[in-house]
Amino acid sequence: MRALTKLTAGPGLELVDRPEPVCGPLDVKIRVLRAGLCGTDLHLEQWDDWAASTVHAPMVIGHEFYGEIVEVGPSVEELKVGDHVSGEGHIVCGYCRNCRAGRRHLCRNTQGVGVNRPGAFAEYIEVSEALAMPVPEDVSDEDAALTEPLAVAHHAVRRSGIGKRDVAVVIGCGPIGLSVIMLLKAAGVKTVVASDLSQGRRALAQRCGADKVVDPTQESPYSAVKQQKKH
């Protein structure tokens, strides 16, 4: 299969032929239909200090994806060939102290798809059935590929404790920041202030429901919040 791969330790990526993944007993093999580009992938392409200390080449990168199941392992129970799914990008061991205590996000043995194990910038990817999430038919392919970053935004809003009468501030209006804005408004938060250096992203923030957008070179988000609280 063709796959975008970090072949050697250093800047750059190459589109090369790689072996197709083998479907294990509890795994599903997915034909990738769409994939999202994350900031992590840019770090890997540029080969900064974090990438150099984390990734062992060769490695197929990419962890935001959506596709169609083409093969299931013999022990897979719920999913079937033909199902359309997205997937979780972090694989935990399930056995360490934090996993057993329900703190899987703190697993000391976490592996990242497209970082520590082959990723989704390829024709096929293999993941555990437990990490493949069915996608409703009315969700577009492009939207389905954004499931993982949307989940990040949803987690942030849920953990924030922000109430409907509070003023929420979103610093940075990239894809996740914009998702946070939409989720805050969907949750009924009265006032959302968004801050970004980019005029284009500030315009997107307004389209996503921000009540006030701020250019931080001209106005501090803190001052904007104080003004909003007066209303």
Side-chain angles (χ1 to χ4, degrees):
M1 67 175 183
R2 302 291 279 171
L4 194 60
T5 307
K6 173 68 67 174
L7 280 180
T8 59
L13 298 165
E14 295 187 51
L15 186 63
V16 298
D17 287 318
R18 298 288 294 172
E20 289 189 18
V22 176
C23 191
L26 293 170
D27 301 333
V28 296
K29 182 177 177 180
I30 301 165
R31 179 168 64 93
V32 178
L33 299 175
R34 297 289 189 276
L37 182 64
C38 177
T40 297
D41 302 315
L42 299 180
H43 286 292
L44 297 179
E45 189 279 330
Q46 296 161 6
W47 202 246
D48 57 16
D49 290 342
W50 172 82
S53 66
T54 306
V55 175
H56 299 287
M59 181 62 65
V60 178
I61 72 167
H63 60 272
E64 299 175 7
F65 67 93
Y66 161 78
E68 179 184 2
I69 294 177
V70 296
E71 183 182 348
V72 298
S75 298
V76 169
E77 297 182 353
E78 299 293 334
L79 298 176
K80 63 185 184 301
V81 171
D83 285 347
H84 285 210
V85 296
S86 182
E88 167 62 52
H90 298 92
I91 300 169
V92 299
C93 71
Y95 299 104
C96 71
R97 181 176 182 179
N98 283 324
C99 281
R100 290 177 182 271
R103 298 188 294 268
R104 296 173 48 180
H105 61 295
L106 299 176
C107 173
R108 61 184 298 176
N109 303 310
T110 297
Q111 286 192 325
V113 172
V115 177
N116 312 113
R117 56 175 289 161
F121 288 170
E123 293 180 75
Y124 298 96
I125 186 173
E126 161 267 328
V127 299
S128 165
E129 178 189 25
L131 300 180
M133 313 299 174
V135 175
E137 293 182 358
D138 60 347
V139 176
S140 72
D141 293 3
E142 290 75 16
D143 288 345
L146 295 173
T147 300
E148 193 268 352
L150 181 62
V152 173
H154 182 270
H155 180 70
V157 171
R158 203 171 61 160
R159 289 291 301 273
S160 70
I162 293 174
K164 293 183 178 182
R165 300 177 67 86
D166 294 331
V167 177
V169 184
V170 178
I171 306 295
C173 299
I176 292 178
L178 295 173
S179 298
V180 168
I181 292 169
M182 290 187 285
L183 288 165
L184 287 167
K185 298 306 291 186
V189 174
K190 180 180 179 182
T191 307
V192 177
V193 176
S195 172
D196 199 287
L197 293 169
S198 165
Q199 181 179 356
R201 288 190 171 185
R202 293 196 300 273
L204 284 173
Q206 282 186 309
R207 289 175 56 188
C208 289
D211 300 287
K212 167 77 175 178
V213 295
V214 175
D215 177 352
T217 66
Q218 304 297 321
E219 179 183 5
S220 77
Y222 177 73
S223 298
V225 169
K226 289 179 65 177
Q227 292 176 5
Q228 293 297 316
K229 285 187 173 182
K230 293 177 181 179
H231 300 309

